[in-house]
Amino acid sequence: MSPCFFCVVPRALRLAVLPVLLLVCSACSSLARVYMVDVDSIAARGLSFAATPAYVFRPKEPDMAGVGAEDLRFREAADLVASCLNSRGMHEVKDMRKADVVVYLAYGVDDERRETRVVESPEIDPFLYHGPLVFRDPFLDDRVRWRREVTTVTTWRCWLDVSAYRLDGKGKPGEQLWSTRAQSRGRSHDLRAVLPWLVEAMRGDFAADTHGVASYEVRVDEGGPAEVIRRQGGRQGD
């Protein structure tokens, strides 16, 4: 019978390898960014996209006061939402007089919160002597000391609100057709970085009725596509 790895490798080397393995595992798990997104959507009963195919974007007051429909940041958000609408057979127009629907957009970063967290990390004391070479679980070895570190974590809420109204013959908003809202809390307050994943989470429920809040986990792997996982609540739109 061949000796096991932990029996033939000196204790000092085994303990020296431990923090390296922990760092490797940490690096592997950090390759994917995870966003927890809540989507709340409601739509008019019997909604038909074919009946109102042309839409125009406008900033929603009062959240977007002073923002124009052609502002670059607004257009960036509008283009993301347009990918959802276009997949339903709709198309964007620039002239309100040629539109069947006006789509109001609002977005923002707010509700800053600070939380105190305790983080434990291993430290190895190489000067303790344990006598003869025997196998010991490195996580139970008394050379491994766990250091407690108190840190303060700041999080923000990033959100996107989309609502649509049918336009009457005079180009005035009338019946509300749908309202879809997505929000995510995390350590990033860079809305431009988070906004695409808010849209990905809301895509399946966009302009539909979630019958409550639907929670999603959006996993973004480096160099790969995003994976959207429904966690709880709501009902997938058609």
Side-chain angles (χ1 to χ4, degrees):
M1 179 183 297
S2 59
C4 68
F5 172 80
F6 286 102
C7 295
V8 299
V9 177
R11 179 183 302 278
L13 180 57
R14 297 202 308 270
L15 294 177
V17 169
L18 175 59
V20 176
L21 293 176
L22 292 175
L23 288 175
V24 170
C25 293
S26 175
C28 292
S29 62
S30 64
L31 291 179
R33 290 170 294 166
V34 178
Y35 299 91
M36 304 303 298
V37 182
D38 288 336
V39 178
D40 190 359
S41 184
I42 190 169
R45 188 181 300 273
L47 176 65
S48 171
F49 294 97
T52 54
Y55 63 91
V56 60
F57 284 116
R58 288 292 183 269
K60 182 179 181 180
E61 302 284 354
D63 299 290
M64 305 297 287
V67 176
E70 296 304 320
D71 286 6
L72 292 180
R73 292 184 184 276
F74 181 84
R75 280 307 318 172
E76 187 172 52
D79 288 343
L80 291 171
V81 175
S83 66
C84 296
L85 293 173
N86 295 348
S87 68
R88 303 294 181 91
M90 301 182 72
H91 62 275
E92 182 184 1
V93 296
K94 301 297 183 181
D95 191 343
M96 182 82 81
R97 295 170 298 181
K98 297 180 180 180
D100 303 302
V101 175
V102 56
V103 179
Y104 291 107
L105 296 185
Y107 47 80
V109 179
D110 55 25
D111 195 17
E112 177 180 343
R113 297 181 186 176
R114 294 185 179 182
E115 302 175 359
T116 300
R117 299 179 182 178
V118 178
V119 179
E120 293 187 343
S121 57
E123 287 184 337
I124 299 175
D125 186 348
F127 299 106
L128 291 178
Y129 176 67
H130 292 281
L133 177 64
V134 294
F135 169 75
R136 297 170 66 91
D137 187 335
F139 289 95
L140 300 178
D141 198 313
D142 56 12
R143 289 190 183 193
V144 180
R145 309 287 180 83
W146 291 91
R147 177 167 55 89
R148 294 169 62 87
E149 181 178 356
V150 179
T151 60
T152 300
V153 176
T154 303
T155 62
W156 291 267
R157 180 183 65 174
C158 296
W159 57 273
L160 171 65
D161 193 353
V162 185
S163 56
Y165 293 80
R166 190 192 308 273
L167 293 171
D168 62 19
K170 298 180 180 180
K172 299 295 182 180
E175 175 193 7
Q176 184 175 22
L177 298 177
W178 73 79
S179 175
T180 305
R181 183 180 179 90
Q183 62 179 8
S184 177
R185 174 167 295 280
R187 299 177 66 173
S188 174
H189 60 281
D190 182 357
L191 182 62
R192 293 186 68 194
V194 179
L195 202 57
W197 316 125
L198 294 180
V199 174
E200 283 303 311
M202 74 194 322
R203 186 177 297 275
D205 293 317
F206 194 82
D209 197 336
T210 55
H211 300 276
V213 176
S215 297
Y216 293 92
E217 178 180 313
V218 182
R219 301 184 60 86
V220 185
D221 293 323
E222 297 294 340
E227 180 183 10
V228 180
I229 304 171
R230 177 181 285 268
R231 306 301 297 180
Q232 62 182 13
R235 186 177 68 187
Q236 188 90 11
D238 296 330

Short mmCIF file of all heavy atoms in Angstrom, two decimals, residues 117-159:
data_model
loop_
_atom_site.label_atom_id
_atom_site.label_comp_id
_atom_site.label_asym_id
_atom_site.label_seq_id
_atom_site.Cartn_x
_atom_site.Cartn_y
_atom_site.Cartn_z
N ARG A 117 -19.21 43.70 9.21
CA ARG A 117 -19.08 42.26 9.04
C ARG A 117 -17.79 41.77 9.70
O ARG A 117 -16.80 42.49 9.74
CB ARG A 117 -19.07 41.88 7.55
CG ARG A 117 -20.35 42.26 6.81
CD ARG A 117 -20.27 41.88 5.36
NE ARG A 117 -21.47 42.29 4.62
CZ ARG A 117 -21.64 42.12 3.31
NH1 ARG A 117 -20.68 41.55 2.59
NH2 ARG A 117 -22.76 42.52 2.72
N VAL A 118 -17.83 40.53 10.18
CA VAL A 118 -16.66 39.91 10.80
C VAL A 118 -16.14 38.84 9.84
O VAL A 118 -16.87 37.93 9.47
CB VAL A 118 -17.00 39.30 12.16
CG1 VAL A 118 -15.77 38.60 12.75
CG2 VAL A 118 -17.53 40.36 13.11
N VAL A 119 -14.87 38.98 9.45
CA VAL A 119 -14.24 38.04 8.52
C VAL A 119 -13.15 37.28 9.26
O VAL A 119 -12.32 37.89 9.95
CB VAL A 119 -13.63 38.78 7.32
CG1 VAL A 119 -12.95 37.80 6.37
CG2 VAL A 119 -14.71 39.58 6.59
N GLU A 120 -13.15 35.93 9.14
CA GLU A 120 -12.12 35.11 9.77
C GLU A 120 -11.20 34.54 8.69
O GLU A 120 -11.65 34.03 7.67
CB GLU A 120 -12.76 33.97 10.55
CG GLU A 120 -13.56 34.43 11.77
CD GLU A 120 -14.03 33.28 12.61
OE1 GLU A 120 -14.03 32.14 12.10
OE2 GLU A 120 -14.39 33.50 13.77
N SER A 121 -9.89 34.64 8.94
CA SER A 121 -8.90 34.12 7.99
C SER A 121 -7.84 33.34 8.76
O SER A 121 -7.52 33.68 9.91
CB SER A 121 -8.26 35.27 7.21
OG SER A 121 -7.66 36.20 8.09
N PRO A 122 -7.26 32.28 8.14
CA PRO A 122 -6.29 31.43 8.85
C PRO A 122 -4.91 32.05 8.90
O PRO A 122 -4.45 32.67 7.95
CB PRO A 122 -6.29 30.15 8.01
CG PRO A 122 -6.63 30.62 6.64
CD PRO A 122 -7.58 31.77 6.80
N GLU A 123 -4.24 31.86 10.03
CA GLU A 123 -2.84 32.21 10.19
C GLU A 123 -2.11 31.00 10.73
O GLU A 123 -2.64 30.26 11.57
CB GLU A 123 -2.66 33.38 11.16
CG GLU A 123 -3.09 34.72 10.60
CD GLU A 123 -2.80 35.87 11.57
OE1 GLU A 123 -2.71 35.58 12.78
OE2 GLU A 123 -2.66 37.01 11.11
N ILE A 124 -0.89 30.76 10.28
CA ILE A 124 -0.14 29.57 10.67
C ILE A 124 1.05 29.96 11.53
O ILE A 124 1.83 30.85 11.14
CB ILE A 124 0.33 28.79 9.42
CG1 ILE A 124 -0.89 28.33 8.61
CG2 ILE A 124 1.18 27.60 9.82
CD1 ILE A 124 -0.52 27.67 7.31
N ASP A 125 1.19 29.32 12.68
CA ASP A 125 2.33 29.55 13.56
C ASP A 125 3.36 28.45 13.28
O ASP A 125 3.18 27.30 13.69
CB ASP A 125 1.88 29.50 15.01
CG ASP A 125 3.01 29.87 15.97
OD1 ASP A 125 4.16 29.93 15.51
OD2 ASP A 125 2.73 30.11 17.15
N PRO A 126 4.47 28.76 12.57
CA PRO A 126 5.44 27.72 12.18
C PRO A 126 6.35 27.30 13.32
O PRO A 126 7.16 26.39 13.16
CB PRO A 126 6.22 28.41 11.07
CG PRO A 126 6.20 29.85 11.45
CD PRO A 126 4.85 30.08 12.09
N PHE A 127 6.27 27.93 14.49
CA PHE A 127 7.23 27.66 15.57
C PHE A 127 6.71 26.65 16.58
O PHE A 127 7.44 26.23 17.47
CB PHE A 127 7.57 28.97 16.28
CG PHE A 127 8.21 29.98 15.36
CD1 PHE A 127 7.48 31.07 14.91
CD2 PHE A 127 9.51 29.83 14.93
CE1 PHE A 127 8.04 32.00 14.06
CE2 PHE A 127 10.08 30.75 14.08
CZ PHE A 127 9.36 31.84 13.62
N LEU A 128 5.43 26.28 16.47
CA LEU A 128 4.91 25.27 17.38
C LEU A 128 5.37 23.89 16.95
O LEU A 128 5.33 23.55 15.76
CB LEU A 128 3.38 25.33 17.42
CG LEU A 128 2.78 26.57 18.09
CD1 LEU A 128 1.26 26.50 18.01
CD2 LEU A 128 3.23 26.68 19.54
N TYR A 129 5.81 23.06 17.87
CA TYR A 129 6.32 21.73 17.57
C TYR A 129 5.33 20.68 18.05
O TYR A 129 4.83 20.75 19.17
CB TYR A 129 7.67 21.51 18.26
CG TYR A 129 8.23 20.13 18.08
CD1 TYR A 129 8.65 19.69 16.82
CD2 TYR A 129 8.32 19.26 19.16
CE1 TYR A 129 9.16 18.42 16.65
CE2 TYR A 129 8.83 17.98 18.99
CZ TYR A 129 9.24 17.56 17.73
OH TYR A 129 9.74 16.30 17.56
N HIS A 130 5.06 19.70 17.19
CA HIS A 130 4.06 18.69 17.52
C HIS A 130 4.64 17.31 17.74
O HIS A 130 3.90 16.35 17.87
CB HIS A 130 3.00 18.62 16.41
CG HIS A 130 2.15 19.86 16.33
ND1 HIS A 130 1.11 20.10 17.19
CD2 HIS A 130 2.23 20.92 15.52
CE1 HIS A 130 0.56 21.26 16.90
NE2 HIS A 130 1.23 21.78 15.89
N GLY A 131 5.96 17.19 17.73
CA GLY A 131 6.55 15.88 17.96
C GLY A 131 6.66 15.09 16.68
O GLY A 131 6.87 15.64 15.60
N PRO A 132 6.52 13.75 16.75
CA PRO A 132 6.73 12.87 15.58
C PRO A 132 5.79 13.22 14.43
O PRO A 132 4.71 13.77 14.63
CB PRO A 132 6.43 11.48 16.14
CG PRO A 132 6.56 11.61 17.62
CD PRO A 132 6.15 13.01 17.94
N LEU A 133 6.22 12.86 13.23
CA LEU A 133 5.44 13.12 12.02
C LEU A 133 4.23 12.20 11.98
O LEU A 133 4.35 10.98 11.89
CB LEU A 133 6.30 12.89 10.77
CG LEU A 133 5.60 13.06 9.42
CD1 LEU A 133 5.15 14.51 9.26
CD2 LEU A 133 6.53 12.66 8.29
N VAL A 134 3.05 12.74 12.10
CA VAL A 134 1.80 11.98 12.02
C VAL A 134 0.81 12.80 11.22
O VAL A 134 0.95 14.02 11.07
CB VAL A 134 1.22 11.68 13.43
CG1 VAL A 134 2.12 10.75 14.21
CG2 VAL A 134 0.99 12.98 14.19
N PHE A 135 -0.22 12.14 10.71
CA PHE A 135 -1.24 12.85 9.94
C PHE A 135 -2.15 13.63 10.88
O PHE A 135 -2.61 13.13 11.90
CB PHE A 135 -2.09 11.87 9.12
CG PHE A 135 -3.31 12.53 8.54
CD1 PHE A 135 -3.17 13.37 7.45
CD2 PHE A 135 -4.56 12.34 9.10
CE1 PHE A 135 -4.28 14.01 6.91
CE2 PHE A 135 -5.67 12.98 8.56
CZ PHE A 135 -5.53 13.80 7.47
N ARG A 136 -2.39 14.89 10.55
CA ARG A 136 -3.33 15.74 11.28
C ARG A 136 -4.11 16.56 10.27
O ARG A 136 -3.57 16.98 9.26
CB ARG A 136 -2.60 16.69 12.25
CG ARG A 136 -1.84 16.00 13.36
CD ARG A 136 -0.98 17.01 14.11
NE ARG A 136 -1.79 17.98 14.82
CZ ARG A 136 -2.20 17.83 16.08
NH1 ARG A 136 -1.88 16.74 16.76
NH2 ARG A 136 -2.93 18.75 16.67
N ASP A 137 -5.36 16.72 10.54
CA ASP A 137 -6.19 17.56 9.68
C ASP A 137 -5.70 19.01 9.79
O ASP A 137 -5.71 19.59 10.88
CB ASP A 137 -7.65 17.49 10.13
CG ASP A 137 -8.59 18.20 9.16
OD1 ASP A 137 -8.12 19.11 8.45
OD2 ASP A 137 -9.77 17.85 9.14
N PRO A 138 -5.24 19.62 8.66
CA PRO A 138 -4.70 20.98 8.75
C PRO A 138 -5.71 21.99 9.26
O PRO A 138 -5.34 23.01 9.82
CB PRO A 138 -4.28 21.29 7.31
CG PRO A 138 -5.04 20.34 6.46
CD PRO A 138 -5.21 19.10 7.29
N PHE A 139 -7.02 21.73 9.08
CA PHE A 139 -8.01 22.67 9.56
C PHE A 139 -8.25 22.54 11.07
O PHE A 139 -8.86 23.39 11.68
CB PHE A 139 -9.33 22.51 8.80
CG PHE A 139 -9.25 22.99 7.39
CD1 PHE A 139 -8.96 22.12 6.36
CD2 PHE A 139 -9.42 24.33 7.09
CE1 PHE A 139 -8.87 22.57 5.05
CE2 PHE A 139 -9.33 24.79 5.79
CZ PHE A 139 -9.06 23.91 4.77
N LEU A 140 -7.79 21.41 11.65
CA LEU A 140 -7.91 21.22 13.08
C LEU A 140 -6.56 21.36 13.78
O LEU A 140 -6.50 21.30 15.01
CB LEU A 140 -8.52 19.85 13.39
CG LEU A 140 -9.91 19.59 12.80
CD1 LEU A 140 -10.37 18.18 13.13
CD2 LEU A 140 -10.90 20.61 13.33
N ASP A 141 -5.49 21.49 13.02
CA ASP A 141 -4.15 21.62 13.58
C ASP A 141 -4.06 22.91 14.38
O ASP A 141 -4.49 23.97 13.94
CB ASP A 141 -3.13 21.65 12.43
CG ASP A 141 -1.72 21.35 12.92
OD1 ASP A 141 -1.33 21.94 13.95
OD2 ASP A 141 -1.04 20.52 12.29
N ASP A 142 -3.48 22.81 15.61
CA ASP A 142 -3.42 24.00 16.44
C ASP A 142 -2.36 24.98 16.00
O ASP A 142 -2.15 26.02 16.63
CB ASP A 142 -3.23 23.64 17.92
CG ASP A 142 -2.00 22.78 18.15
OD1 ASP A 142 -1.19 22.66 17.21
OD2 ASP A 142 -1.88 22.24 19.27
N ARG A 143 -1.64 24.67 14.90
CA ARG A 143 -0.77 25.67 14.32
C ARG A 143 -1.58 26.71 13.54
O ARG A 143 -1.09 27.80 13.26
CB ARG A 143 0.24 25.04 13.37
CG ARG A 143 1.32 24.24 14.06
CD ARG A 143 2.40 23.87 13.07
NE ARG A 143 3.41 23.03 13.66
CZ ARG A 143 4.59 22.78 13.09
NH1 ARG A 143 4.86 23.33 11.92
NH2 ARG A 143 5.46 22.01 13.68
N VAL A 144 -2.76 26.31 13.14
CA VAL A 144 -3.60 27.22 12.37
C VAL A 144 -4.44 28.04 13.34
O VAL A 144 -5.27 27.52 14.08
CB VAL A 144 -4.52 26.44 11.40
CG1 VAL A 144 -5.38 27.41 10.61
CG2 VAL A 144 -3.68 25.57 10.47
N ARG A 145 -4.18 29.34 13.36
CA ARG A 145 -4.95 30.26 14.19
C ARG A 145 -5.91 31.05 13.31
O ARG A 145 -5.54 31.47 12.21
CB ARG A 145 -4.01 31.24 14.91
CG ARG A 145 -2.87 30.55 15.65
CD ARG A 145 -3.37 29.85 16.90
NE ARG A 145 -2.29 29.18 17.62
CZ ARG A 145 -1.48 29.80 18.47
NH1 ARG A 145 -1.61 31.09 18.70
NH2 ARG A 145 -0.53 29.11 19.09
N TRP A 146 -7.11 31.26 13.75
CA TRP A 146 -8.09 32.01 12.97
C TRP A 146 -8.14 33.45 13.47
O TRP A 146 -8.43 33.71 14.64
CB TRP A 146 -9.47 31.36 13.07
CG TRP A 146 -9.49 30.05 12.36
CD1 TRP A 146 -9.22 28.83 12.87
CD2 TRP A 146 -9.75 29.86 10.97
NE1 TRP A 146 -9.29 27.86 11.90
CE2 TRP A 146 -9.61 28.46 10.72
CE3 TRP A 146 -10.08 30.70 9.92
CZ2 TRP A 146 -9.80 27.92 9.46
CZ3 TRP A 146 -10.27 30.14 8.66
CH2 TRP A 146 -10.13 28.78 8.43
N ARG A 147 -7.83 34.36 12.57
CA ARG A 147 -7.79 35.78 12.91
C ARG A 147 -9.12 36.43 12.53
O ARG A 147 -9.61 36.28 11.43
CB ARG A 147 -6.65 36.46 12.15
CG ARG A 147 -6.56 37.97 12.38
CD ARG A 147 -5.22 38.49 11.85
NE ARG A 147 -5.04 38.11 10.46
CZ ARG A 147 -5.45 38.87 9.43
NH1 ARG A 147 -6.07 40.02 9.66
NH2 ARG A 147 -5.26 38.47 8.19
N ARG A 148 -9.71 37.16 13.46
CA ARG A 148 -10.98 37.84 13.24
C ARG A 148 -10.71 39.29 12.85
O ARG A 148 -9.96 39.99 13.52
CB ARG A 148 -11.85 37.78 14.49
CG ARG A 148 -12.32 36.38 14.84
CD ARG A 148 -12.94 36.35 16.23
NE ARG A 148 -14.12 37.19 16.30
CZ ARG A 148 -15.35 36.80 15.99
NH1 ARG A 148 -15.56 35.56 15.57
NH2 ARG A 148 -16.37 37.62 16.10
N GLU A 149 -11.34 39.70 11.77
CA GLU A 149 -11.16 41.07 11.29
C GLU A 149 -12.54 41.69 11.05
O GLU A 149 -13.38 41.12 10.35
CB GLU A 149 -10.35 41.10 10.01
CG GLU A 149 -10.10 42.49 9.46
CD GLU A 149 -9.25 42.48 8.21
OE1 GLU A 149 -8.79 41.40 7.81
OE2 GLU A 149 -9.06 43.55 7.63
N VAL A 150 -12.78 42.83 11.66
CA VAL A 150 -14.05 43.53 11.51
C VAL A 150 -13.93 44.54 10.37
O VAL A 150 -13.03 45.38 10.36
CB VAL A 150 -14.44 44.24 12.82
CG1 VAL A 150 -15.77 44.98 12.64
CG2 VAL A 150 -14.54 43.24 13.96
N THR A 151 -14.82 44.44 9.39
CA THR A 151 -14.80 45.35 8.25
C THR A 151 -16.17 46.00 8.08
O THR A 151 -17.19 45.47 8.52
CB THR A 151 -14.44 44.60 6.95
OG1 THR A 151 -15.42 43.58 6.71
CG2 THR A 151 -13.06 43.96 7.05
N THR A 152 -16.17 47.13 7.43
CA THR A 152 -17.40 47.84 7.11
C THR A 152 -17.65 47.76 5.61
O THR A 152 -16.78 48.11 4.81
CB THR A 152 -17.32 49.32 7.54
OG1 THR A 152 -17.11 49.38 8.95
CG2 THR A 152 -18.61 50.04 7.21
N VAL A 153 -18.81 47.25 5.23
CA VAL A 153 -19.17 47.07 3.82
C VAL A 153 -20.29 48.05 3.47
O VAL A 153 -21.30 48.13 4.17
CB VAL A 153 -19.62 45.63 3.55
CG1 VAL A 153 -20.08 45.48 2.09
CG2 VAL A 153 -18.51 44.65 3.87
N THR A 154 -20.08 48.81 2.39
CA THR A 154 -21.08 49.76 1.92
C THR A 154 -21.78 49.20 0.69
O THR A 154 -21.12 48.73 -0.24
CB THR A 154 -20.43 51.11 1.58
OG1 THR A 154 -19.74 51.61 2.72
CG2 THR A 154 -21.49 52.13 1.16
N THR A 155 -23.10 49.22 0.69
CA THR A 155 -23.88 48.73 -0.45
C THR A 155 -24.83 49.83 -0.93
O THR A 155 -25.20 50.73 -0.18
CB THR A 155 -24.69 47.47 -0.08
OG1 THR A 155 -25.62 47.79 0.96
CG2 THR A 155 -23.77 46.36 0.37
N TRP A 156 -25.21 49.71 -2.20
CA TRP A 156 -26.15 50.64 -2.81
C TRP A 156 -27.24 49.86 -3.55
O TRP A 156 -27.03 48.70 -3.92
CB TRP A 156 -25.46 51.55 -3.82
CG TRP A 156 -24.51 52.55 -3.24
CD1 TRP A 156 -24.77 53.84 -2.86
CD2 TRP A 156 -23.13 52.33 -2.96
NE1 TRP A 156 -23.63 54.43 -2.38
CE2 TRP A 156 -22.61 53.54 -2.43
CE3 TRP A 156 -22.26 51.24 -3.11
CZ2 TRP A 156 -21.28 53.67 -2.04
CZ3 TRP A 156 -20.94 51.37 -2.72
CH2 TRP A 156 -20.46 52.58 -2.20
N ARG A 157 -28.36 50.51 -3.76
CA ARG A 157 -29.43 49.93 -4.57
C ARG A 157 -29.40 50.56 -5.96
O ARG A 157 -29.48 51.78 -6.10
CB ARG A 157 -30.79 50.18 -3.93
CG ARG A 157 -31.95 49.59 -4.73
CD ARG A 157 -33.28 49.92 -4.10
NE ARG A 157 -33.54 51.36 -4.11
CZ ARG A 157 -34.68 51.92 -3.72
NH1 ARG A 157 -35.65 51.15 -3.26
NH2 ARG A 157 -34.85 53.23 -3.76
N CYS A 158 -29.26 49.71 -6.98
CA CYS A 158 -29.36 50.15 -8.38
C CYS A 158 -30.72 49.70 -8.91
O CYS A 158 -31.11 48.55 -8.70
CB CYS A 158 -28.24 49.54 -9.23
SG CYS A 158 -26.57 50.05 -8.75
N TRP A 159 -31.41 50.57 -9.60
CA TRP A 159 -32.77 50.23 -10.04
C TRP A 159 -33.08 50.78 -11.43
O TRP A 159 -32.47 51.73 -11.89
CB TRP A 159 -33.81 50.73 -9.05
CG TRP A 159 -33.76 52.21 -8.77
CD1 TRP A 159 -32.99 52.86 -7.85
CD2 TRP A 159 -34.48 53.24 -9.47
NE1 TRP A 159 -33.19 54.21 -7.91
CE2 TRP A 159 -34.10 54.47 -8.89
CE3 TRP A 159 -35.40 53.24 -10.50
CZ2 TRP A 159 -34.62 55.70 -9.32
CZ3 TRP A 159 -35.92 54.46 -10.93
CH2 TRP A 159 -35.53 55.66 -10.34
#
